[in-house]
Amino acid sequence: MKLISLQKAYDRFAPRYDEIFVHQQRPKIEALLGALPRPLPTPILDLGAGTGLAGRLLAERGEALPWSIDASRLMLEQADGPRGLGDLYRLPLRDGCAGLALCVTALLDFVDPSPAIAEMARVLRPGGWLALSVLKIEAIAAVQTGLVAAGFQMRQRLDLEQDLGFVCRRNDP
Ligand SMILES: C[S@@+](CC[C@H](N)C(=O)[O-])C[C@H]1O[C@@H](n2cnc3c(N)ncnc32)[C@H](O)[C@@H]1O
């Protein structure tokens, strides 16, 4: 799906997203956060943040709020904290600006995920962490290839019901 169509689809969906998906998404985010080192590396990015469910969970636990990035304005309007519109395939962020990137069920539609994963590696500092989940119906092999190609070291693989989770660390160059 082209980015503009995806934006429109999620803009339409935004008012009902939490009502429909919070019970599915929250356990995935909890499991990914649980597999990360403490204290959580900062700054934190939530890439494809949607309505900011991860940020709300972090706030409830008294942890740092993430920077939320999403293509859909109406999804993002519901997120707390700093946020900005952006494409996962061309992140509007500086190299090495983050210690942790979350990306939960946001690499979608069977588009080659490698360029987006390379962007995640670019915006993480060396040694930074990535907690990524993708729907099992997506191209999992392409995700794993993309992670290796972008210089991520796999630390944990998680079965998250509809998603597979990958907790990875960016190699030092
Ligand atoms: C299924 S929702 C997941 C939202 C959130 N991560 C969660 O767990 O609730 C997918 C989100 O990814 C965003 N998204 C998908 N592809 C994107 C892209 N290329 N650039 C930016 N956002 C994207 C959509 O706009 C949508 O808000």
Side-chain angles (χ1 to χ4, degrees):
M1 200 189 290
K2 290 218 171 77
L3 189 63
I4 186 80
S5 320
L6 188 134
Q7 283 168 327
K8 283 187 182 157
Y10 275 100
D11 277 352
R12 269 199 304 273
F13 202 27
R16 298 194 57 215
Y17 180 84
D18 281 6
E19 179 193 326
I20 299 169
F21 284 108
V22 68
H23 299 296
Q24 238 177 67
Q25 294 307 105
R26 243 184 108 98
K28 297 179 195 174
I29 300 164
E30 277 171 347
L32 288 166
L33 291 178
L36 286 162
R38 290 294 187 282
L40 288 177
T42 55
I44 303 173
L45 302 173
D46 186 9
L47 305 173
T51 57
L53 292 178
R56 249 165 272 149
L57 218 146
L58 287 165
E60 280 170 24
R61 296 174 171 200
E63 310 226 44
L65 268 186
W67 278 85
S68 298
I69 304 282
D70 201 278
S72 160
R73 187 174 57 79
L74 297 184
M75 291 286 278
L76 199 57
E77 268 180 9
Q78 300 174 56
D80 299 324
R83 58 199 177 186
L85 284 171
D87 181 2
L88 299 183
Y89 286 75
R90 288 178 55 178
L91 289 172
L93 297 165
R94 277 184 292 111
D95 294 1
C97 66
L100 167 63
L102 306 172
C103 181
V104 185
T105 330
L107 290 179
L108 301 166
D109 299 320
F110 304 98
V111 176
D112 178 10
S114 302
I117 293 171
E119 277 291 87
M120 294 171 197
R122 180 184 68 75
V123 300
L124 282 170
R125 62 175 174 257
W129 289 77
L130 171 66
L132 168 77
S133 85
V134 281
L135 287 169
K136 287 176 182 169
I137 54 165
E138 298 288 346
I140 298 297
V143 172
Q144 295 187 113
T145 305
L147 288 168
V148 173
F152 283 109
Q153 203 179 70
M154 187 72 65
R155 290 303 178 93
Q156 213 168 317
R157 250 178 88 121
L158 303 167
D159 189 336
L160 306 171
E161 302 272 331
Q162 310 83 2
D163 289 29
L164 273 182
F166 301 92
V167 175
C168 314
R169 191 150 194 216
R170 203 197 119 170
N171 287 327
D172 282 321

